[in-house]
Amino acid sequence: MAASTLLFVASILLSSFALSCYASGTFSALQKSILLTSSPKSGQVLKAGEANITVTWSFNKTYPAGTDSAYKTVKVKLCYAPISQKDRGWRKTKDELKKDRTCQHKIVKRDYKPETDSVTWTVERDIPTATYFVRAYVYNAEEKEVAYGQSTNDGKKTNLFEVEAITGRHVSLDIASVCFSVFSIVSLAGFFYLEKRKGAASQQK
Amino acid sequence: MGDIEGSPGSSMHGVTGREPVLAFSVASPIVPTDPTAKFDLPVDSEHKAKVFKLFSFANPHMRTFHLSWISFFTCFVSTFAAAPLVPIIRDNLNLTKGDVGNAGVASVSGSIFSRLVMGAVCDLLGPRYGCAFVIMLTAPTVFCMSFVADASGYIAVRFMIGFSLATFVTCQYWMSTMFNGKIIGTVNGTAAGWGNMGGGATQLIMPLLYDLIQRFGATPFTAWRIAFFIPGWLHVIMGILVLTLGQDLPDGNLGALQKKGDVSKDKFSKVFWYAVTNYRTWIFVLLYGYSMGVELSTDNVIAEYFFDRFDLKLQTAGIIAATFGMANLLARPFGGYASDVAARRFGMRGRLWTLWILQTLGGVFCILLGRSNSLPIAVTMMIIFSVGAQAACGATFGIIPFISRRSLGIISGMTGAGGNFGSGLTQLLFFTSSQISTAMGLTYMGIMIVACTMPVTLVHFPQWGSMFLPPSRDVVKGSEEHYYVSEWTEDEKQQGMHQGSVKFAENSRSERGRRVASAPTPPDATPNHA
């Protein structure tokens, strides 16, 4: 029985190594051939649910013509700046694109046009409080990333802006919370008092 | 002879050492049925049930069982309710990994203190009020989640909700007032296991509630707050049910009945002394920290782990996390059963080996879980890990009743506290720092489980031996009587306070395994008809 358990464990270990072997795209292999600007000024604080961001992007003509022949779709995303990734492994930047968690919020998906394109987007109410920049990924026909452009520099230090999220709290929730809490305490106290009185009364009889 | 009413440890009174961990009923010649009592189940002379009829709700015994385990289950649901929603909460409150980890530590720390206090509360007010007090006073803390706006508020609220796990003590105490000692092992094991399932059920319930509330139009950051109302309502509902439908004792409530029995109680200081000076107590405190403790830690981190590592939806991560905690339904009783089966042949040595094997296996599969890179393999490793850890919990309580007869209650309490302490320590060491990824944290936790299970090799009973050493061949020192009676001083023996231990020692001879028939009677054993 020990031998079969060992065999079972060994085969599981081997297959787990095998599965991690296939290659996937990396960020460093992408061409930075998109020029992108976003409307928020450096350090500006935007309120979620209210403020707008206008993103404008176009193909960088300094690249040789024909570079964008494979470009099919563009996804513009809101990405976390390094300061908002600190101590938060779920937002970590990784070169392997499949595992990269820098850009978690989609702004828009469009077909690729070599001319200038833009979008005005209202910051949604589920965007958390953090510091951000904007990045656009370009995909080919196989849905693989081939190029990108971003509103900040390579070190992700310039032109960052902040979003102030909604708290999610509501006055009605707070009131309901207080009501149920009071009900709980009062009913407990009430029961206790009534039973003590019944006990005292039955002892007097 | 027999138990002193109300003495420390008497909440486990009736445990003789001979009952198997998984007995569902005790037949009449062994414990006589009281023919004058008019209950749905056959009862003994104290009107405690002799039969454990699982699917009955008859008042008072089975009704108490169900009220009790469901209350405990509810508290587990609310204590771990935040865990599957952490991916949303961490964005709403701008938490760092340290904040998430500290909240996990806080959630299991509160109950270390509240469980210790609850024993005294049960003695004073009865288990019915003990349960109702805890569950209804922690309901406001659950509702408080709607107010939380930052990390410190989140940690504070999770700490306060954690106090509700004191219902473990009320559950076990209440069961021991309602069920005969010969079946109390099964009853308590089932109640504890089913209560622990709450930690699994919540991983399923909360994401479903969150999804449902979102469909009604709430934004994510509001929806999770509304979701917390459901565990809060469960607290209030269970509290009211316990107060209206429950009763402390088979014959009625504590306040309405006159207290019977001896006035003299065992001194707390003595009972405490014998608990802390027995080295086995401390080994089991450590061990339980690495079976129950890792179960609690895993309840806190596993949903977030699957969500982040394998890119799953919140509900999918919740379903997988739920299977971890729900395994308690069968795994914990299985551990107790395995311990009993081993004991029939090998006695206490078999029980120790069973515990070591189960807990170490759990540790090994925890290491493998951390190292699994694909989803199906990770889930498989997790399930085997959960069975190992939870069965080890069951096996632990197959041994605890034998460590001491006099201080059994305190040792059980300390072991339980050790579980929570181990959980807090593990979360602090491996799941709070951003330097250690959760995957590495799981691997390190597995290594720590294997390392901290080694001390079980040191547990030696002179009368039964240990994992590697045989029992003492000295006729006096190698007797059960010598071990259990040595907890009483000469003065106390003269007052006859040790009689319960003598009876226990006699009954515990089954822990010799197949050698019982050849056990020589020690020449100066106190005869129990004296």
Side-chain angles (χ1 to χ4, degrees):
Chain A
M1 196 197 133
S4 60
T5 316
L6 254 158
L7 199 63
F8 174 65
V9 171
S11 58
I12 284 183
L13 278 171
L14 282 171
S15 45
S16 75
F17 294 143
L19 280 164
S20 55
C21 272
Y22 47 78
S24 46
T26 59
F27 183 70
S28 44
L30 298 181
Q31 294 172 311
K32 194 176 175 183
S33 56
I34 302 292
L35 292 170
L36 190 147
T37 54
S38 59
S39 58
K41 298 187 211 49
S42 179
Q44 187 178 352
V45 178
L46 303 167
K47 275 198 156 61
E50 293 171 15
N52 288 331
I53 299 179
T54 304
V55 185
T56 312
W57 66 95
S58 61
F59 178 64
N60 187 347
K61 300 267 190 310
T62 62
Y63 277 77
T67 313
D68 60 345
S69 54
Y71 296 3
K72 274 275 163 324
T73 48
V74 178
K75 271 192 206 160
V76 185
K77 295 185 178 180
L78 197 61
C79 309
Y80 292 108
I83 191 170
S84 289
Q85 293 174 303
K86 190 160 174 285
D87 293 327
R88 293 174 177 85
W90 55 91
R91 294 178 183 168
K92 203 164 178 186
T93 296
K94 284 220 166 118
D95 199 34
E96 195 184 329
L97 285 167
K98 260 202 164 72
K99 297 196 174 164
D100 182 46
R101 297 270 165 273
T102 319
C103 303
Q104 293 186 16
H105 306 281
K106 195 177 91 172
I107 293 177
V108 76
K109 180 180 176 179
R110 293 263 179 89
D111 288 329
Y112 171 74
K113 296 196 299 219
E115 311 85 47
T116 309
D117 202 353
S118 77
V119 66
T120 300
W121 180 72
T122 312
V123 181
E124 280 169 17
R125 284 188 297 163
D126 63 350
I127 305 292
T129 299
T131 308
Y132 295 91
F133 62 93
V134 182
R135 180 183 286 170
Y137 283 106
V138 183
Y139 298 80
N140 64 9
E142 283 93 45
E143 297 280 312
K144 259 198 73 182
E145 295 88 344
V146 287
Y148 78 99
Q150 61 190 27
S151 62
T152 182
N153 65 356
D154 284 336
K156 294 184 276 187
K157 290 212 161 60
T158 60
N159 209 20
L160 305 169
F161 59 93
E162 287 171 36
V163 168
E164 192 188 298
I166 60 166
T167 60
R169 290 178 57 184
H170 282 274
V171 177
S172 51
L173 270 187
D174 293 346
I175 294 175
S177 185
V178 170
C179 284
F180 285 117
S181 305
V182 167
F183 173 72
S184 185
I185 298 176
V186 165
S187 20
L188 177 68
F191 263 106
F192 194 64
Y193 173 67
L194 282 172
E195 281 206 6
K196 275 259 170 305
R197 252 205 359 193
K198 250 201 312 191
S202 66
Q203 269 182 13
Q204 281 173 4
K205 280 183 192 157
Chain B
M1 86 112 193
D3 275 302
I4 302 164
E5 180 98 6
S7 55
S10 64
S11 59
M12 298 281 284
H13 60 170
V15 173
T16 62
R18 200 162 51 179
E19 57 276 328
V21 177
L22 213 65
F24 278 85
S25 68
V26 51
S28 271
I30 302 172
V31 173
T33 308
D34 182 343
T36 62
K38 295 218 183 332
F39 293 106
D40 270 8
L41 301 170
V43 296
D44 63 13
S45 55
E46 289 179 286
H47 292 178
K48 296 187 190 178
K50 289 170 55 185
V51 171
F52 182 39
K53 215 161 145 192
L54 207 50
F55 297 109
S56 150
F57 282 85
N59 202 18
H61 308 94
M62 288 317 300
R63 188 183 291 186
T64 301
F65 171 76
H66 291 294
L67 282 173
S68 200
W69 82 260
I70 297 178
S71 308
F72 184 39
F73 178 94
T74 304
C75 294
F76 248 94
V77 167
S78 58
T79 301
F80 293 101
L85 296 179
V86 162
I88 313 296
I89 301 176
R90 67 189 180 194
D91 276 344
N92 187 187
L93 305 177
N94 204 10
L95 304 177
T96 62
K97 178 159 186 185
D99 296 328
V100 175
N102 284 330
V105 176
S107 68
V108 297
S109 310
S111 68
I112 296 176
F113 176 69
S114 67
R115 283 180 180 190
L116 295 174
V117 169
M118 187 47 72
V121 173
C122 283
D123 281 330
L124 288 171
L125 295 176
R128 185 173 140 256
Y129 268 117
C131 182
F133 261 86
V134 167
I135 209 174
M136 292 184 90
L137 289 180
T138 48
T141 64
V142 182
F143 291 120
C144 265
M145 270 297 191
S146 66
F147 291 109
V148 164
D150 60 12
S152 46
Y154 176 63
I155 294 171
V157 171
R158 285 207 72 185
F159 178 68
M160 292 192 291
I161 298 177
F163 280 114
S164 66
L165 291 182
T167 38
F168 172 70
V169 176
T170 62
C171 191
Q172 308 274 288
Y173 191 107
W174 212 355
M175 296 297 94
S176 68
T177 66
M178 291 282 174
F179 290 89
N180 180 272
K182 297 239 178 278
I183 53 173
I184 193 64
T186 308
V187 176
N188 269 338
T190 311
W194 288 10
N196 280 20
M197 273 200 314
T202 196
Q203 318 269 356
L204 202 63
I205 296 171
M206 296 305 284
L208 281 176
L209 284 173
Y210 169 75
D211 192 48
L212 200 68
I213 294 168
Q214 267 199 301
R215 279 171 206 273
F216 274 96
T219 58
F221 293 168
T222 304
W224 76 266
R225 294 169 190 274
I226 299 176
F228 264 85
F229 274 76
I230 283 75
W233 290 334
L234 285 176
H235 271 239
V236 178
I237 293 170
M238 283 317 299
I240 293 177
L241 286 177
V242 161
L243 286 172
T244 52
L245 298 178
Q247 57 191 65
D248 292 300
L249 297 162
D251 294 317
N253 283 323
L254 205 58
L257 294 178
Q258 266 189 316
K259 270 204 175 224
K260 293 178 245 174
D262 299 31
V263 173
S264 66
K265 296 179 174 212
D266 199 353
K267 277 173 71 180
F268 176 78
S269 55
K270 285 259 161 175
V271 173
F272 185 71
W273 177 254
Y274 284 110
V276 301
T277 52
N278 190 332
Y279 75 94
R280 300 169 194 84
T281 305
W282 297 104
I283 294 182
F284 277 92
V285 167
L286 174 68
L287 242 62
Y288 204 56
Y290 286 89
S291 55
M292 169 55 77
V294 298
E295 184 190 326
L296 298 179
S297 304
T298 310
D299 277 338
N300 259 335
V301 307
I302 197 75
E304 191 189 356
Y305 174 69
F306 276 98
F307 180 87
D308 287 332
R309 181 103 192 254
F310 299 103
D311 280 317
L312 303 173
K313 282 185 3 219
L314 208 65
Q315 290 88 294
T316 317
I319 293 172
I320 295 174
T323 54
F324 178 83
M326 299 291 272
N328 258 306
L329 177 69
L330 297 172
R332 191 167 170 143
F334 165 73
Y337 179 69
S339 184
D340 284 339
V341 167
R344 267 183 242 156
R345 185 144 178 213
F346 300 108
M348 176 55 68
R349 295 180 83 178
R351 289 192 193 273
L352 292 167
W353 272 99
T354 305
L355 174 58
W356 183 82
I357 291 171
L358 288 169
Q359 197 157 321
T360 304
L361 217 68
V364 166
F365 280 92
C366 185
I367 297 173
L368 293 176
L369 167 63
R371 300 188 66 78
S372 301
N373 284 323
S374 90
L375 184 61
I377 295 178
V379 173
T380 311
M381 298 296 117
M382 183 197 75
I383 291 176
I384 304 176
F385 162 44
S386 76
V387 173
Q390 290 160 15
C393 291
T396 305
F397 277 92
I399 300 176
I400 300 254
F402 297 101
I403 298 179
S404 158
R405 173 57 181 67
R406 190 173 185 182
S407 310
L408 177 54
I410 293 204
I411 293 178
S412 300
M414 285 172 68
T415 306
N420 282 53
F421 180 76
S423 177
L425 180 68
T426 309
Q427 288 181 77
L428 195 65
L429 288 175
F430 303 134
F431 297 105
T432 308
S433 158
S434 1
Q435 311 288 357
I436 309 177
S437 70
T438 308
M440 279 316 291
L442 287 169
T443 307
Y444 290 146
M445 181 165 83
I447 295 172
M448 197 154 180
I449 294 172
V450 176
C452 290
T453 307
M454 298 297 259
V456 79
T457 53
L458 301 173
V459 175
H460 180 81
F461 290 91
Q463 68 273 33
W464 300 317
S466 61
M467 276 171 74
F468 296 113
L469 298 172
S472 161
R473 263 175 270 183
D474 185 311
V475 172
V476 171
K477 289 218 181 99
S479 73
E480 288 81 358
E481 278 77 4
H482 183 262
Y483 180 82
Y484 290 109
V485 168
S486 64
E487 293 179 319
W488 303 90
T489 63
E490 281 309 313
D491 278 336
E492 290 163 339
K493 283 191 231 182
Q494 293 216 339
Q495 295 174 46
M497 291 170 81
H498 68 302
Q499 292 296 344
S501 292
V502 172
K503 185 144 212 298
F504 183 82
E506 218 176 85
N507 287 333
S508 71
R509 266 199 252 290
S510 56
E511 294 310 302
R512 294 182 180 223
R514 286 234 190 110
R515 295 183 305 115
V516 181
S518 56
T521 313
D524 60 348
T526 316
N528 54 344
H529 56 261

